């Protein structure tokens, strides 16, 4: 009988760096999709605050492991959640590949790949968006002044590394030329 070995989505692909930008894998104990039943948002928000220390996220925000995922939808990143009456909850832990892009030029790297405004005034720390990264759907979160977290479907992990590494190398080469 064959032995199975658990592997993370970016196993053997990360970490990488180019210039002052680093791309590293993030693992979560659980990723749970959450949506309140009709009329149950307040109850769900209280339950999430009790379990995670944060209310249901407002559109295009994230805080304390809760990420806005669409109208009346969120993802909970971290420990698996206890069931909440009045809410649909689905374990998505094995569906996502999560990574962090950080460094002084992280925004310049992402600007080559995402069609959204990454300036501090438009996408500050605490912002989240469902958008595209190259040709892939992604969840993008700003988690620090020079740090972003990116989530793509697990099947897109290698494509994400390819696209981001290419952009990292272009930004690093430009910095060397103009440096």
């Amino acid at each position: 009988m064959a032995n199975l070995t658990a592997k993370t989505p970016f196993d053997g692909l990360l970490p990488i760096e180019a210039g002052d930008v680093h791309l590293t894998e993030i693992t979560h104990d659980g990723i749970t999709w959450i949506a309140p039943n009709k009329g149950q948002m307040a109850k769900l928000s209280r339950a999430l605050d009790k379990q995670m220390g944060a209310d249901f996220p407002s559109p295009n925000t994230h805080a304390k492991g809760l990420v806005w995922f669409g109208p009346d939808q969120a993802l909970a990143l971290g420990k698996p959640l206890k069931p909440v009456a009045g809410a649909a909850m689905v374990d998505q832990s094995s569906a996502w590949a999560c990574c962090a892009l950080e460094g002084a030029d992280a925004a310049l790297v992402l600007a080559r790949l995402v069609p959204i405004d990454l300036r501090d005034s438009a996408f500050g720390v605490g912002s989240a968006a469902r958008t595209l990264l190259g040709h892939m759907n992604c969840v993008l979160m700003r988690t620090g002044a020079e740090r972003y977290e990116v989530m793509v479907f697990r099947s897109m992990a290698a494509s994400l590394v390819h696209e981001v590494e290419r952009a990292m190398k272009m930004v690093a080469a430009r910095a060397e030329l103009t440096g």
Side-chain angles (χ1 to χ4, degrees):
M1 183 169 16
N3 291 329
L4 298 177
T5 303
K7 292 185 177 185
T8 63
F10 293 109
D11 185 57
L13 300 172
L14 295 179
I16 58 172
E17 68 178 77
D20 71 346
V21 180
H22 308 271
L23 185 64
T24 56
E25 184 168 24
I26 299 171
T27 57
H28 298 286
D29 291 337
I31 300 174
T32 306
W33 174 84
I34 310 162
N37 293 344
K38 187 173 183 174
Q40 298 295 306
M41 179 62 84
K43 182 179 179 181
L44 173 58
S45 197
R46 285 190 302 273
L48 291 173
D49 186 39
K50 187 175 181 179
Q51 287 192 53
M52 298 192 68
D55 294 333
F56 198 89
S58 300
N60 299 312
T61 67
H62 70 91
K64 296 185 179 181
L66 288 170
V67 183
W68 177 83
F69 196 65
D72 292 339
Q73 299 177 59
L75 291 178
L77 311 176
K79 63 180 180 159
L81 294 177
K82 295 174 187 158
V84 175
M89 301 173 75
V90 178
D91 179 20
Q92 298 270 313
S93 302
S94 62
W96 294 95
C98 307
C99 59
L101 183 70
E102 52 193 322
D105 290 335
L108 293 175
V109 170
L110 285 173
R112 294 173 178 267
L113 299 168
V114 299
I116 62 174
D117 185 350
L118 296 172
R119 291 176 297 167
D120 292 344
S121 60
F123 200 77
V125 175
S127 295
R130 288 188 70 180
T131 186
L132 293 173
L133 188 141
H135 64 284
M136 298 164 278
N137 290 313
C138 78
V139 176
L140 179 65
M141 295 169 276
R142 178 95 179 261
T143 57
E146 297 178 349
R147 187 173 192 275
Y148 299 83
E149 291 184 16
V150 181
M151 298 174 61
V152 295
F153 294 123
R154 184 183 184 104
S155 62
M156 296 284 114
S159 294
L160 178 137
V161 171
H162 172 77
E163 294 291 330
V164 174
E165 183 175 30
R166 188 169 166 241
M168 288 168 65
K169 287 179 178 178
M170 285 190 270
V171 168
R174 182 172 179 163
E176 280 185 30
L177 289 173
T178 59

